[in-house]
Structures are given as structure tokens and as C-alpha cells.
Amino acid sequence: MNSNIFTNNIKTIEFDALIVGGGGSGMRASLELAKSGLKTAVVSKVFPTRSHTVSAQGGITCAIASEDPNDDWRWHMYDTVKGADFIGDQDAIEYLCSEGPKAVFELEHMGLPFSRFENGRIYQRPFGGQSKDFGKGGQAARTCAAADRTGHALLHTLYQNNVKEGTNFLNEWFAVDVVKNSKNEVTGVIAFSIEYGEVAYLKAQATVMATGGAGRIYASTTNALINTGDGLAMTLRAGFPAQDMEMWQFHPTGIYGAGSLVTEGCRGEGGYLINKDGERFMERYAPNVKDLAGRDVVARSMVLEILEGRGCGENKDHIFLKLDHLGADVLNAKLPGICELSRTFAHVDPIYEPIPVVPTCHYMMGGTPTNVHGQAFNRINKQDSIVPGLFAAGEAACVSVHGANRLGGNSLLDLVVFGRATGKFIQEELKSGGGVSSASKEDINNSLERLNYLNESKSGYETADVKRELQECMQNYFGVFRRGDFMEKGLTELSEIRNKVENLHLKDKSDAFNTSRVEAIELQNLFEVAEATAISAFERNESRGAHARDDFPDRDDDNWLCHSLYDPITKSISKRDVNFAPSQVEAFPPIVRTY
Amino acid sequence: MFGNKLEVSMYRYNPEQDEFPYMKKYKIEKPSKDIMVLDLLHLLKEEDESISYRRSCREGVCGSDGMNINGKNGLACITPISSVVKKNKIELRPLPGLPVIRDLVVDMTEFYAQYEKIKPFLQNDTTAPEQERLQSPEDRDKLDGLYECILCACCSTSCPSFWWNPDKFVGPAALLQAYRFLADSRDLETVERLEALSDPFSVYRCHGIMNCVSVCPKGLNPNKAIGEIKSMLLKNKKNIITSDGAHQ
């Protein structure tokens, strides 16, 4: 790679639609587009089946009425609205829950090897926060599963069907920055081939950010090493906003020490959490549904147990997940992957012993704000204003169906429902003549700056050191419990880290499979997401869903029943209304959220 | 003194700098607790950022970090160093039999081409019902041990038959997936799938060496699947002969 890359010496590859990211939402969108005849490509920094969707375990929540023939998508909608602590957009949640069954049946038709009930229908298991009859009919079992490898089965099925439809893949290509023209339209991305180092302008009429989450902003996370928020960071750098960035889900059961996820399905199948005294403490915090309360509720209860000295182990710093009472047969049939992970990473066989677990960063509820068609929007004069050419789907997007807390099993549904919707919308839009204007040479050069800077760096900070510093700062000051004065310290640290992130030294400047260059850019991406998170968390003076403030312990609907919108240019927060206008049902008004 | 150091011998090759690959030795403080080979690689990369390897999930489900560890293929992220270090030494090489791009990163084009060749997607042209297609739990059980493949290539790149004929022998990973669709009660292209595998190379180059079984990090058994395909091929051939006979 030359140290001075300009528009004149890179090639332009032109597509109708470009999807950045080869995980669940990206490949569901590309599948829709590949069938349409539009020239589509998926650019992915890893071979698609290495994307993080592969790690999803327990399932995909959807009212397909298999376990309970009377199940109703409206009940699922109620649970999701309540789980979101009432700042999920109800039009989007309605779309998610009502379109869900179609999207799930399509996956089955594509070949997804769902587990089955005796009658041949798709197996469903109970997950947290699920109810029948709008919370009045007891626990529901609504999560469709392929054993405890649902994400793997889903991702492979989508890849397989993309192979069938002949989708173009630019595998192991890394997108660096979006290109935007003078009208503030997105016209594609600058990307390079990780294998050869070749840089190109991937030009498109529609660019979809399907780049997943950024759990790696925290030191302890269930997320893959590749979850660095690349798409969100690219749009932030381009000046586009991010929504609800203070909302990060800490999953109750990450394996202590290793961080690997242990599915909520374990508790759905009858497992439960115990403290050092062997007490099933969730009975105290959520007397009705116990271990199947919302994830935010369970995670906080666990942290309180640890803080009050009832944690397990030598340092009393974790909790046990008890499964042995389920018996070897159930564990081997329903949770084989968990048994494997537990043996490998906790050195514990759950058939005989409990698994040591601790709340671990798991999911980014926030992201690029979009409507149900995946269209990203900006905020101009307090009005939503669509950004032509820019779309987002999946964890990278904030549509917003998860609000302040995502329910288990809703992320896989989000991926397929909104990946599909985005693909369908782009198809219609481009076929009816929609699109964007071209970018000038100067516009493209602007997007090459960061790459050039790194390639020219002769001294500066080491990526690994700065990354560690960033992750520890976020873990210490912006974790499960937050406090204004701590967060202020965190913000000061972050401003020092920004200086380092902007002055990284890339020692290895070679072209062939240079993972150091990738990691340096990923760190810069993590930083943008971390900063958005920190500022949003500091500003929201209340406790809601995953955002728990020691200094503001109550939910404050008068002031904060709204989205927070982070503007990367002014680094400030504005409020945006939550949608309370679903079209097929009456809106669910906010109530006190108990389980 | 040497007791506290771990000696890592690593295959290094950067096409822009090196005419030939070479083994480079690193000495590193022995970690105080047992760590995975992938963690060891992270530590080494902090010392020498030019080291290149693939990684993603770091928990054995994405299949990125297949490599040859002390002579045996495996996933770096779920291989504890305690299980492979001998006399304070460990040797890391790329997966054998595929072209090396750089260091521990191999070019998997041929591996993926074989996967695509077996048409790794459900084929069923009948009109789909409004809901799911039904499948009994017993029929679904037939997919266990097959669908879990993570395409890490540990098996195919440990297979001498694949080394010899990577273009013609489908290899254990793709054959496991071929059988995954043959075994699926919802797939209707059984005969076409079998015919595409009936040449002397695709399946029949498997000589039951069983390296695939011994290295699979997910505990799958491609050799058994290949055996099933062979017996299906045999039955299919018999059926063709019988039906031809009936026509005469």
C-alpha cells in the first residue's frame, strides 16, 4: 500500500447495492437483493460464516404458535415493549413481531435445521421476559431453537442460500470510511483487500451498514474479537448521529474469566442462579418469574449479590449457574454446545457442577437510527431527515426495537426481519429510479485520509496498549452501575485516549494480510463508539433498562421517556420522541416494570 | 532459567519480504495460568506486530483459527497450551496442503470451492407451506453430527487424499455437508446429489485414513458420513440397474 493514496490511483468498483458486513442482517439483505437482479455485493472483513451471528445460541423469539397454538404476536409485542422499558419504537416493534413468523418460516424453508417437537413443528423454549396474554397468562415458550447453536445454524443457512443465489462476496475486504458527496449523500465506502492490500472505492447507490455491535469497547465481553463497531464508527466520523448509545446489555451469564456466552436458554430449560450460600436469590428480586426476568434485572441482581458479599469462589466475585439437576440427557440434547464451552473455558462439566458466571457486556441496543426500511436518518432542525444512500440493519442499527433492554432471542429476529425489509426496500427504491449523485475526487480523497495517515505514521502509540486502556476505562466507569462523578473521570480519561487513538504508530506497513493495519483502524472505530456511549450515559439522568445510575435510581418518564441522539460533531445529546403509534394495535402505555 | 520460558517456533512467511518461509523462534515468559494457543499468539503479536493469523469468535464456533499445532491440526482458541506444550516447546504452522498467504494464514479458495461444488443448500422445489415444513424429531436427529461443521478446514487439510487431489476429491468437510443434505428429509434432490458424487474421485478417493476424525475440533465424524454416502451410492446404482431391467 502506498503511503499516499489518492483517488487517481485506486480503482472504482461499482454496484447498485453494497452491504458492509456478512453476518445475519447483511446476508439476509443480500439474499433479498441477489434475487432481484440488482448488482449487489457483500463486503466482509471475515469469511461470512466467521461473523459474530455464529455465536448466538439459544434461539430466535417469534410467535409462530408452535409450542402454544394460541400464541399471538401481540403478546410478543407487549413483552418487547415492556422489556425495552418503553423506549422502543412501537411501530418498529409491531413490524418485528408481526412480520417475524414469515421471516422465520422462510428460514426453515431455506433449510435451517431447527429442533422439533413430536408433531414435527419447530421447537420453542422459554426465555426471559416472555409472557402470554399481555403479561397475565404466565410464562410463554416462544424462542425457536436449533439446539443451542441457533446462530450457527442461521448464519450457515443464510450463507448457503447466498451461494445458491450467486451473491457477490468481497471476503476479507475491510471497509475504512464512507464516501459522502457534497449533498451529504452516502455514495459507498473506501475499502481494502486484507489479502493483498489493494485499496478501492466501492461505489454504490445504496450502502447498508450491517456491521454488528462493538462489545469490544469493554474489557469483559461475550463478543467476538471482530466486534469493533466499524459501520457505526464510519457513520459517526461522517457526521451522522447515533441513538441510545448508553444502552448496553450486560448478559447475566458470561463464563467467569473467559467471557464466553452461556445462553439464557439454560435458565429457560430449568437452570437457575445461586449465590455462595446455595440460595436461589432471584426469588427475592423477581418473585414471579425468578431467573427468567429481563436480562438487565438479572444482571443487576447478580452484581448486588456480589457487592453484598454473597458471591461465589475464593474472591466472592462470581455467581454459579446450576444445571446438574436437569440431568445428562436434557443437557446433552438441548444444551450440548454449553456443555462443550463450559468444559473448555470454565473447566467445569455442567452435568455435575455449576458453571461460574458473571454479567458480561453482550449487546449494543443503540446504533445508527433508522426507520423500518433500514433508511438511516439525520436530525435537522429537530426533524428526522433521511440520509440518501445510507442504510443500517441488525445490531449496528437502532430501529429501535430493543429500546433500553433487549429480550433474549430478539436479536436474531431483528437481523432477519430488518435485513429482509432493508433488502426489499432498496430493491423497490432503485428499481423506481432512486439513487444518489456521484462523489467528487475530493470527496473520495477525504475518505482516504485516515488510511494515508496510518501508512505514513513514523512514531506514536501502540494499538494493543491503547486498546487495553480504552477497554478498562469503559469497564470501570461505564459498566453495569453508573455514577455521575465516576463517569466524569471516565470522560476525562477518554479525552486523553482520543489523542493516543489519533496518533497510533503502524510499524508494519506491508500489504499481504496485514492484521496490524486492520487492528489499528478497528481501535479507532471502537473509540468512536465508546465516546458516544460515554457521553450518552453521562447525560441520561435516570435509570432505565440497562442504564442504571446510582445517583438517579428511578425511571423518570417526565424527562426521559425518549431516545437520546448523539451528535458526533458537537458531541452533545438531543432528545428524540419514542414512537407510540403502531398501526394494528393500540399503543402500550408505560407502566412500572416488574417481573 | 529456561524453566520459566516457553519456546515458540513459528512458521513465518511474508511474500513481500521473504523468498522462502522459515521457522522463527520466540521465547516468552511462561504464563502463570493455562491459556489457549490463541492467547499465546496475542501475547506474541504484542511483541512482534508483523505476525499474522486469523481469529474471530475466540470460542471455537467460527472456525477462523485452524492451524497446525505441534503437528496436529486444531483450533488455536480452544487448545490449551498445557495440552500441547512438550518440554517447554510448541511449534505453530499453517494448515498443511493449502497455499500460504502469510505466516499462519492459508488461501482457502480450493477448500471453499469444494464446499460450493456439493450444492450446500436445501433443494426442494415443491411449493412451501405457509408455515414450516414438518420434520419428525427422529428425522431431525439425523442431522446431528453434520450441521455443526464450522468450515475450519482442519479435517480436509489433514487428509492425504485431499493433499493429492484438492481439485477433484471433495474432501471430508464438504462431504460431511454433502451428507447433511442427503440426510435431510426435506431435501428432494437425493439422486442428483448422488450422481454428482459418483465419479472415481469425489468420494472414492477417501481411503479411510481417519485423520479427519482425529482432528475435528467439534468432534464430528466425516469418515462415517462418507461411509453413508458410499452405501447410498451403491444402493442408487442398484436401483438404476433394476429400473433399467424393468424397462426391458
Side-chain angles (χ1 to χ4, degrees), chain A residues 251-254 267 271-313 316-322 354-359 480-481 595:
Chain A
H251 195 291
T253 55
R267 283 169 284 137
Y272 55 85
L273 297 162
I274 52 175
N275 60 22
K276 78 172 171 52
D277 306 318
E279 182 203 2
R280 186 176 181 182
F281 57 86
M282 281 312 296
E283 289 177 336
R284 273 188 278 122
Y285 296 95
N288 295 317
V289 297
K290 305 179 181 86
D291 297 79
L292 288 178
R295 285 179 177 174
D296 54 335
V297 176
V298 180
R300 272 194 297 278
S301 310
M302 292 168 71
V303 173
L304 286 173
E305 286 299 297
I306 292 168
L307 290 175
E308 286 167 15
R310 291 188 294 277
C312 306
K316 298 183 179 176
D317 57 355
H318 56 272
I319 294 293
F320 280 141
L321 173 64
K322 185 174 148 57
I355 310 174
V357 291
V358 71
V480 175
F481 284 105
Y595 285 102

Side-chain angles (χ1 to χ4, degrees), chain A residues 50 108-109 111 113 116 121-122 152 160 172 221 225 340 468 507-508 510-513 515-516, chain B residues 16 45-46 49 52 54 56 58 62 102 112 120 131-133 140 147 149-151 180 186 218:
Chain A
R50 326 285 184 214
E108 195 282 332
H109 299 154
R116 301 286 172 153
R121 293 207 60 191
I122 293 171
H152 169 278
Q160 291 163 351
E172 297 184 327
T221 174
L225 294 158
E340 206 179 300
R468 199 172 293 126
K507 281 178 273 183
D508 178 3
S510 59
D511 281 346
F513 227 97
T515 53
S516 296
Chain B
E16 292 159 62
K45 191 168 169 68
E46 283 190 26
E49 78 168 36
S52 188
R54 292 186 175 106
S56 172
R58 60 83 176 92
C62 80
R102 174 172 175 173
Y112 295 135
Q131 297 189 333
E132 70 270 46
R133 289 195 164 94
R140 169 59 185 75
Y147 82 95
C149 172
I150 58 173
L151 300 176
R180 177 248 174 276
R186 301 169 297 172
K218 305 307 286 181

Side-chain angles (χ1 to χ4, degrees), chain B residues 11-22 50 102-103:
Chain B
Y11 181 101
R12 298 299 314 268
Y13 174 67
N14 179 341
E16 292 159 62
Q17 295 162 10
D18 308 319
E19 202 177 339
F20 299 105
Y22 61 99
S50 72
R102 174 172 175 173
D103 300 339

Side-chain angles (χ1 to χ4, degrees), chain A residues 108 114 187 197 205 274 369 371-372 445 451 481 562 572 580:
Chain A
E108 195 282 332
F114 281 111
T187 64
Q205 299 300 315
I274 52 175
N371 60 21
V372 293
N445 280 339
L451 205 49
F481 284 105
C562 61
S572 63
F580 280 93

